[in-house]
Amino acid sequence: MFSLTVPTGGGKTLSSLAFALDHAVRHGLRRVIYVIPFTSVVEQTAAVFRDALGSDDAVLEHHSGFDFGPADGSAPDDEGKDGARKLRLAAENWDRPVVVTTAVQFFESLFSNRPSACRKLHAIAGSVVILDEAQTLPLKVLRPCLEALRELARGYRSSVVLCTATQPAVTTDAGFRGGLDRVRELAPDPPDLYRRLKRVTVSTIAEPVSDEALAERLLNEPQALCIVNSRRHARDLHRRIAVAEGARHLSTCLCAKHRRAELAAIRQDIKDGKTVRLVSTSLVEAGVDFSFPVVYRAMAGLDSIAQAAGRCNRNGELPELGRVFVFDSPEDEGHRPPVELALFAQTAASVLRAHDDPLALDTLRAYFRQVYWLRGDEDLDAAPVGEGPDAIRGILNALRLHRRKHDFPFADIAKAFRIIESPLVPVIVPYRPAGEPDAVPRLLDALRHAPADKTGGIARALQPYLVQVPRSARAGLLKAGAAECIRSGEFGDQFVALVNGDLYHPDVGLDWEDPTFRRFETSIF
């Protein structure tokens, strides 16, 4: 068991890969598995590794967005160099020297009862597992995740690296009861590394900041980033600065292809010294290499604040330290942290009252200790296994109760273990990148007419054009005729496409609040 504690922007990604490769060669391990919390960063990290290794074939990226076509071998590109069949088998077996995957794929495979997921298990044995952003492991299944990592190291000859800028206090040395022990730190002197790589000052604004005041602050800066806790807040704040020069917006209301285009444009504008005032959700905190002189961050967990600080003066290019401001919104504006984030924000606010530097290692350690202590042991393994009065609280409890007879409830455990409890569902949006052909209408037409066993490739091609929305929001779009189900008799609600294209805006993406909205110019007959 190892840890690598390096500040954001300090080169963790390639440093951890370099260690893993040397470690694998020295100890005869078979592959490196790089586990990332967010799907949006997998493609970027895999590209960095391919470039560093000088080989496209050495790296496999695998996440839920990959659909390799029908499993019966009927896809026409099965036998190509990187055809669907070859990629599907490589993905099911993780049969490459370097695998870049998500925490969902990695951990849910360990707790799965499905053969296709379990085919990965032999590949994890005898490998180096790098857990990037280890602090993002969800609290509800934290203990099962830690036990799985402990067992891989103890019984399956795997080496595990917890790699993060904000190392969670999950070791016995940090006071976590039943935590990981004998974890060796790879960075030579993390506190000194933090001092030497200090690039920002973090200040907490004492009084709540209204959106009007926040917009004024952003407009006073030629380049500034503001990160908020919800898509709605991002959209509302962007509306206040939309007419100003350099106003930008990023959230998951934009489909993936739209986000990639915006990210590229923003990077270029920053590089060219143009005015950029970006309002974003936390998605920019996950591996996005922006560097702003000023960053505003809505109150959140200290790990999120540290990640936000990593988007400020990221490369040390400023003559002085960058400025990061943490703020709260007034109660009456309805932009307080969502329920699932409120505990982290409250804990961070409490810890900050007793510590001067929010990014110091002792501050972060105190924060994580308080988060875990407030939850208690039961809340760190809280998923119910089974249903009704016979349900067992906690996956580890279910395993203990059944270990004598070895009649483990594998199906119930697989159902209970979820990294992401997502009530969101996809909508296909009609985004068209500038200068590119209009792909979505063509793909939807192909989907309407293709044989059912030939739709896998089409579904994969549509992945970049999906926006995830609440199920109730999608139902509202369908009821208003703003969206339609394609071939619902065969696929149910798998393919829902937006019909009212006016609801997808070029700056803020999909806005589903008024499904009947029409732009003036498109409502003239």
Side-chain angles (χ1 to χ4, degrees):
M1 304 291 295
F2 300 93
S3 59
L4 178 60
T5 310
V6 180
T8 301
K12 295 188 301 296
T13 302
L14 287 176
S15 296
S16 59
L17 178 64
F19 164 79
L21 293 172
D22 286 343
H23 186 75
V25 168
R26 178 169 182 175
H27 296 283
L29 304 180
R30 298 183 297 166
R31 62 178 47 82
V32 176
I33 301 172
Y34 200 89
V35 183
I36 296 175
F38 308 107
T39 302
S40 57
V41 192
V42 170
E43 183 178 339
Q44 173 184 304
T45 304
V48 169
F49 286 173
R50 290 188 184 104
D51 183 61
L53 298 174
S55 171
D56 287 345
D57 202 46
V59 181
L60 171 74
E61 54 183 290
H62 187 214
H63 56 78
S64 59
F66 276 74
D67 182 337
F68 301 109
D72 60 4
S74 61
D77 62 341
D78 271 357
E79 300 306 323
K81 178 178 181 294
D82 270 319
R85 182 176 177 80
K86 179 180 178 182
L87 281 174
R88 184 175 58 253
L89 290 174
E92 288 182 354
N93 294 281
W94 281 0
D95 190 18
R96 295 285 172 88
V98 177
V99 177
V100 184
T101 190
T102 62
V104 171
Q105 287 284 342
F106 182 80
F107 284 105
E108 290 190 3
S109 293
L110 291 175
F111 289 89
S112 178
N113 68 323
R114 293 184 299 111
S116 59
C118 293
R119 289 190 185 104
K120 305 183 189 80
L121 298 182
H122 75 281
I124 300 174
S127 64
V128 185
V129 177
I130 303 172
L131 202 64
D132 190 33
E133 305 298 355
Q135 80 282 354
T136 60
L137 288 175
L139 298 186
K140 187 177 179 181
V141 290
L142 179 61
R143 283 197 175 276
C145 287
L146 295 180
E147 289 303 324
L149 294 173
R150 191 200 314 275
E151 184 61 22
L152 286 174
R154 180 174 56 196
Y156 294 84
R157 203 168 168 266
S158 294
S159 291
V160 178
V161 183
L162 305 177
C163 181
T164 177
T166 55
Q167 203 63 251
V170 294
T171 64
T172 53
D173 289 344
F176 190 94
R177 190 164 59 86
L180 303 175
D181 53 6
R182 290 182 291 177
V183 178
R184 287 175 279 175
E185 176 59 50
L186 296 174
D189 187 349
D192 183 58
L193 200 57
Y194 271 71
R195 285 190 292 270
R196 289 164 55 195
L197 292 178
K198 183 178 176 64
R199 293 164 180 165
V200 302
T201 60
V202 181
S203 305
T204 301
I205 301 174
E207 298 298 323
V209 182
S210 68
D211 277 6
E212 182 181 0
L214 194 53
E216 187 177 344
R217 283 172 172 261
L218 295 177
L219 294 177
N220 285 333
E221 302 287 349
Q223 290 190 345
L225 165 65
C226 181
I227 303 174
V228 294
N229 288 320
S230 70
R231 297 192 287 192
R232 179 185 172 188
H233 195 180
R235 185 191 61 216
D236 291 349
L237 182 57
H238 177 267
R239 282 175 177 163
R240 290 184 175 271
I241 66 168
V243 297
E245 181 186 2
R248 297 277 193 169
H249 167 276
L250 276 175
S251 78
T252 51
C253 288
L254 278 62
C255 66
K257 197 170 183 71
H258 195 169
R259 291 200 303 270
R260 285 198 290 269
E262 285 296 302
L263 286 167
I266 293 167
R267 285 193 185 98
Q268 191 60 49
D269 284 352
I270 294 173
K271 182 179 178 182
D272 294 342
K274 295 182 179 179
T275 299
V276 180
R277 289 142 177 163
L278 173 60
V279 179
S280 176
T281 58
S282 61
L283 70 85
V284 297
E285 295 172 354
V288 177
D289 55 352
F290 284 158
S291 185
F292 284 85
V294 179
V295 171
Y296 286 86
R297 181 55 167 100
M299 181 60 77
L302 274 191
D303 51 330
S304 294
I305 292 171
Q307 290 294 333
R311 313 310 125 189
C312 183
N313 194 24
R314 184 177 178 85
N315 304 308
E317 66 272 18
L318 297 177
E320 65 282 327
L321 294 176
R323 293 170 292 148
V324 177
F325 298 95
V326 181
F327 67 93
D328 258 324
S329 295
E331 293 278 358
D332 59 357
E333 288 193 349
H335 291 146
R336 305 287 288 176
V339 174
E340 62 271 19
L341 300 179
L343 172 67
F344 303 113
Q346 292 164 9
T347 306
S350 171
V351 171
L352 288 178
R353 286 193 286 270
H355 293 79
D356 294 331
D357 183 0
L359 306 184
L361 292 181
D362 60 337
T363 308
L364 292 163
R365 194 174 295 113
Y367 164 77
F368 280 113
R369 279 178 180 164
Q370 194 163 330
V371 167
Y372 300 147
W373 177 78
L374 284 172
R375 287 291 179 125
D377 287 353
E378 286 189 354
D379 288 336
L380 302 180
D381 182 16
V385 178
E387 297 178 354
D390 295 328
I392 302 167
R393 182 181 171 89
I395 290 169
L396 298 182
N397 285 335
L399 292 171
R400 291 188 193 101
L401 287 173
H402 289 269
R403 66 183 175 187
R404 178 172 295 179
K405 294 183 178 179
H406 290 182
D407 56 341
F408 301 109
F410 291 118
D412 288 340
I413 289 174
K415 186 177 180 180
F417 187 92
R418 287 290 178 267
I419 290 285
I420 300 175
E421 293 287 350
S422 176
L424 303 181
V425 290
V427 173
I428 304 164
V429 297
Y431 171 68
R432 179 181 180 178
E436 293 187 21
D438 204 354
V440 175
R442 175 180 54 81
L443 290 168
L444 291 178
D445 186 63
L447 186 63
R448 288 185 179 95
H449 299 99
D453 62 348
K454 301 288 186 180
T455 58
I458 302 171
R460 183 184 177 193
L462 284 168
Q463 284 282 343
Y465 301 97
L466 299 182
V467 172
Q468 302 288 335
V469 304
R471 187 173 292 277
S472 60
R474 192 173 74 171
L477 292 171
L478 289 167
K479 183 178 180 180
E484 65 171 343
C485 255
I486 297 176
R487 296 172 69 173
S488 57
E490 296 168 87
F491 302 116
D493 60 0
Q494 181 178 355
F495 300 109
V496 174
L498 192 68
V499 175
N500 181 358
D502 290 344
L503 297 180
Y504 193 81
H505 304 268
D507 49 0
V508 297
L510 181 60
D511 184 352
W512 57 84
E513 282 198 348
D514 181 6
T516 63
F517 169 80
R518 290 281 183 179
R519 287 199 301 269
F520 176 74
E521 59 269 25
T522 61
S523 62
I524 299 176
F525 295 96

